[in-house]
Amino acid sequence: MAAFSIQILDEAVRDTEGPSFWGWIEAGSLSERFRGEPGPLTAAQLRAHWQRAVRHAVLGREAACLFTTLSLDARGCGDIRAYGLIPSELAGQTCNQAGQDQIGQGQSERNTHRRGIFLTAFDRRVARDPLDLAAMLYAPPERMLGPPYLLDLDRPEGFYRYTDTSLSGAHWFLPDTAFEAFLTPLPAETAQAPADPTWFGVFNEVGIIAQLARAAFEARMPQGLALPQFSVLNHFVRLGDGRSPLDLARAFQVPKTTMTHTLAVLEEKGFVAMGPNPQDGRSKLVFITPDGRAFREAAIAALAPDIARLARLASDDIAERLLPDLRRLRALMDADRDR
């Protein structure tokens, strides 16, 4: 039986600028070499995304997608090539026939109903900034790639909702068992003691709450900005400004290029201003502006209806009981990450 595999063949491509690389994907009858350029993701980040997407589809039974080629300019606009990972139970009425075509004519009807994953190749125009996305919506496309979509490489699962589960394009089918080797932990990981189920439960619940809260927040966000921009402004109000871009990248645990892009959006909006570092003439410090403070307050106010609705649904004292413990947990994790 054919197994699924995807890997980076080379860490870099000759005669290119930036972290470009070659890779190879094999899935049943699908076998394709691809090139990631200019590579806003490193090879390690791309591998982590593949693991996350496959687990999302095979174990979580939700549509996901594998980014392979990312061709983006300095602002994060361009196009991507990806493979949709579509669990068979989400593929509609086309699943049985497609599964029969890919599994083989000699197998039983029962086998065409077994759970598996369809892979559908697609191209999409993308932008990493909502303002650029709005401009692209009204610009004539260079190629027939359909409407552009927002691409957040810090949260690739947000892009999974764009995966077309109708199997309208070319597709390949693999049973769930074909992904076993790809999802098997490394020997070093299996030798470790299992995670404490209670603490894993805490991490799991907090993660789900964070996803739900982010979706609600971004739906209410004024002026079409995304949560990363708000988070920087909120950080300045809570802890003070006058930080360098590198310090902010470390505080948010994101690549410096990602923080540079976030700050560029905020500076263009007039929400932050750059000033010289008095202790180092070569670097700059970032300061929140009055407009930035006003935007932060407007964003919080816009969330008020959602918070009020949640307060009506929950018990009266749940927030008061949870907040002190959550603050202690956050402080412990903040201290632990700096060790």
Side-chain angles (χ1 to χ4, degrees):
M1 178 190 66
F4 170 85
S5 66
I6 181 169
Q7 58 184 314
I8 297 293
L9 297 182
D10 301 306
E11 293 295 329
V13 178
R14 293 181 182 178
D15 303 323
T16 61
E17 296 181 358
S20 300
F21 41 75
W22 290 112
W24 195 272
I25 181 171
E26 292 184 345
S29 60
L30 168 65
S31 181
E32 181 175 292
R33 193 181 191 191
F34 60 84
R35 174 174 169 174
E37 61 172 338
L41 294 178
T42 65
Q45 289 171 326
L46 197 61
R47 289 192 190 99
H49 156 64
W50 293 339
Q51 282 281 342
R52 192 173 184 177
V54 172
R55 291 182 181 277
H56 194 85
V58 178
L59 303 181
R61 310 312 294 175
E62 296 185 28
C65 55
L66 294 167
F67 302 141
T68 55
T69 302
L70 299 102
S71 299
L72 310 178
D73 61 20
R75 286 188 60 87
C77 299
D79 54 77
I80 67 169
R81 168 165 282 269
Y83 289 95
L85 300 175
I86 306 168
S88 52
E89 60 268 31
L90 302 181
Q93 297 300 315
T94 58
C95 170
N96 290 339
Q97 182 57 47
Q100 180 65 52
D101 293 342
Q102 295 300 325
I103 294 173
Q105 296 295 331
Q107 299 190 26
S108 67
E109 178 70 15
R110 176 179 59 83
N111 282 339
T112 65
H113 292 273
R114 59 181 171 171
R115 293 207 316 181
I117 300 294
F118 288 90
L119 288 91
T120 303
F122 64 87
D123 299 288
R124 291 287 187 272
R125 293 188 302 145
V126 296
R128 298 185 67 182
D129 186 279
L131 297 178
D132 292 329
L133 178 67
M136 292 171 68
L137 285 170
Y138 294 100
E142 297 180 3
R143 297 193 302 276
M144 296 300 294
L145 296 181
Y149 295 97
L150 187 66
L151 177 64
D152 183 354
L153 291 176
D154 296 322
R155 193 173 62 99
E157 65 273 16
F159 199 84
Y160 296 166
R161 65 181 181 272
Y162 302 134
T163 304
D164 183 4
T165 59
S166 68
L167 300 182
S168 57
H171 48 268
W172 300 263
F173 177 82
L174 286 177
D176 286 352
T177 52
F179 295 89
E180 289 178 353
F182 189 78
L183 293 175
T184 300
L186 298 175
E189 296 174 331
T190 58
Q192 296 175 353
D196 183 285
T198 301
W199 275 101
F200 176 78
V202 170
F203 274 46
N204 189 54
E205 295 300 326
V206 169
I208 295 172
I209 291 171
Q211 291 178 359
L212 294 170
R214 176 169 184 151
F217 211 120
E218 292 191 339
R220 299 277 189 175
M221 190 76 71
Q223 301 183 33
L225 270 75
L227 188 59
Q229 286 95 40
F230 169 83
S231 298
V232 171
L233 298 177
N234 192 53
H235 181 83
F236 285 155
V237 172
R238 289 177 52 247
L239 302 176
D241 54 4
R243 312 289 181 91
S244 71
L246 182 58
D247 288 339
L248 290 170
R250 289 170 177 166
F252 284 89
Q253 297 195 35
V254 298
K256 187 175 182 294
T257 53
T258 299
M259 181 54 65
T260 299
H261 172 74
T262 298
L263 294 175
V265 174
L266 291 172
E267 187 177 26
E268 184 178 353
K269 284 283 191 180
F271 294 159
V272 300
M274 301 287 186
N277 187 342
Q279 298 179 349
D280 179 4
R282 296 173 299 175
S283 62
K284 294 183 178 181
L285 300 180
V286 189
F287 300 88
I288 188 171
T289 66
D291 285 347
R293 292 181 183 275
F295 170 79
R296 184 250 185 187
E297 296 304 319
I300 295 174
L303 196 63
D306 300 284
I307 293 176
R309 185 172 61 255
L310 183 60
R312 290 193 299 269
L313 295 173
S315 60
D316 293 339
D317 64 342
I318 187 171
E320 288 81 0
R321 287 188 289 107
L322 286 175
L323 190 56
D325 286 338
L326 288 174
R327 283 175 171 161
R328 283 194 291 271
L329 179 59
R330 185 254 304 160
L332 288 171
M333 294 180 68
D334 264 345
D336 184 67
R337 72 171 180 175
D338 294 329
R339 288 182 178 179

